[in-house]
Amino acid sequence: MTHVLVTGAAGGIGGAIAEAFAAQGAFLTLSDRDIDALRVSASRIGTGAAIRAADLTDPAAATALVEESWATHGPVDVLVNAAGVYPSLDMAYVDAPAWDRLFAVNLRAPVLTTAALARLAAADGRPASVVNISSGSALRSRPGGGPYASSKAALEMATRAAALELGGHGLRVNAVSPGFVLVDSDCNPVSAAYAEAIDVNPLGRPGTPEDIARAVCWLAGPDASWITGEVLRVDGGSSTGALHLPRIWQADDTRATPGASAAAGTTTEEHAR
């Protein structure tokens, strides 16, 4: 039976990921700081889950989580680093404690859990897969989101670096980058104003935790066995560009119609002339 360790399993995305793996018959070790919320997540899965409280701001907690899960429930086949915090924190008012807490959870913890799994898997001579949960913020920031965006950009580089160095140890290390996914979260609340103002993506809807969970299961599984060091953007196409912006010059109805003949149009260059 596949053993899957999920951090942040009490959250909306982490919980959906855990449930998706459970539906495939995996045994789950669920971890989060909020033990009561973690019990709720475990109850949805049933007997195929164990829970471990862990405060990933503690430098020793990440390594201990992997080592104790392995020792108690057997080798970890899949590690999903879904724990994360996204405070609203302006760059002009960043202080060291807030920055360090953010990077401890969003970057240091995934790096340390991955390193611990790499050592154990190498010593046991068995492969394993890691999937980190990144964010579209790794590509573009927003007001109040600079520190968070910085942590996720760093996580994507750490994902590639780990994939490069740990492939010889039998580890595949990838990331899934969600677009806007609205979940209920006391730890990471999203205001109604922000939810209403979020960019419209080409597919025209926000994501769901289940969208992200399906991508994580696929990337961790055998169908993706020759993929490592990749960031899979599951965002409805929002990373392709800014659909909400107006045209830089106003096209007439004919030229704005999809499929209209190129001969009927006038290019920007022709206007410039």
Side-chain angles (χ1 to χ4, degrees):
M1 180 182 294
T2 302
H3 181 188
V4 181
L5 169 59
V6 182
T7 72
I13 290 177
I17 291 168
E19 289 182 47
F21 276 110
Q24 295 180 352
F27 176 83
L28 275 296
T29 296
L30 309 179
S31 177
D32 204 282
R33 186 181 63 174
D34 187 340
I35 189 66
D36 292 330
L38 199 56
R39 291 191 179 104
V40 173
S41 292
S43 68
R44 290 196 295 264
I45 292 171
T47 57
I51 60 174
R52 287 189 171 274
D55 182 354
L56 295 178
T57 61
D58 178 352
T63 299
L65 173 63
V66 176
E67 292 178 345
E68 292 170 7
S69 298
W70 183 294
T72 305
H73 303 291
V76 174
D77 302 292
V78 176
L79 165 65
V80 181
N81 287 304
V85 292
Y86 43 96
S88 181
L89 183 62
D90 292 341
M91 293 298 285
Y93 299 100
V94 173
D95 59 26
W99 182 273
D100 289 348
R101 178 178 182 274
L102 176 65
F103 271 72
V105 177
N106 291 5
L107 178 63
R108 185 182 68 195
V111 168
L112 294 180
T113 56
T114 300
L117 180 59
R119 294 189 296 269
L120 290 166
D124 207 46
R126 58 185 297 125
S129 177
V130 177
V131 181
N132 295 319
I133 302 301
S134 181
S135 167
S137 294
L139 297 179
R140 58 179 187 175
S141 190
R142 53 176 168 74
Y148 174 75
S150 300
S151 73
K152 291 301 186 178
L155 178 61
E156 291 190 5
M157 176 49 72
T159 297
R160 291 188 285 270
L164 177 69
E165 295 189 29
L166 301 179
H169 293 268
L171 249 69
R172 293 191 302 112
V173 186
N174 293 289
V176 167
S177 171
F180 179 65
V181 176
L182 186 57
V183 297
D184 292 329
S185 174
D186 295 330
C187 179
N188 297 311
V190 172
S191 69
Y194 179 83
E196 291 174 3
I198 196 70
D199 293 354
V200 176
N201 59 63
L203 295 185
R205 68 167 177 86
T208 68
E210 290 73 25
D211 289 323
I212 309 307
R214 286 189 291 269
V216 170
C217 288
W218 176 80
L219 197 52
D223 287 345
S225 62
W226 206 48
I227 298 176
T228 195
E230 290 298 321
V231 179
L232 178 60
R233 305 209 179 275
V234 186
D235 60 6
S238 61
S239 56
T240 59
L243 187 65
H244 64 294
L245 294 179
R247 295 174 182 271
I248 59 174
W249 55 274
Q250 185 59 48
D252 64 28
D253 291 342
T254 301
R255 290 190 293 268
T257 301
S261 169
T266 302
T267 67
T268 305
E269 182 180 357
E270 287 168 345
H271 269 273
R273 288 200 296 269

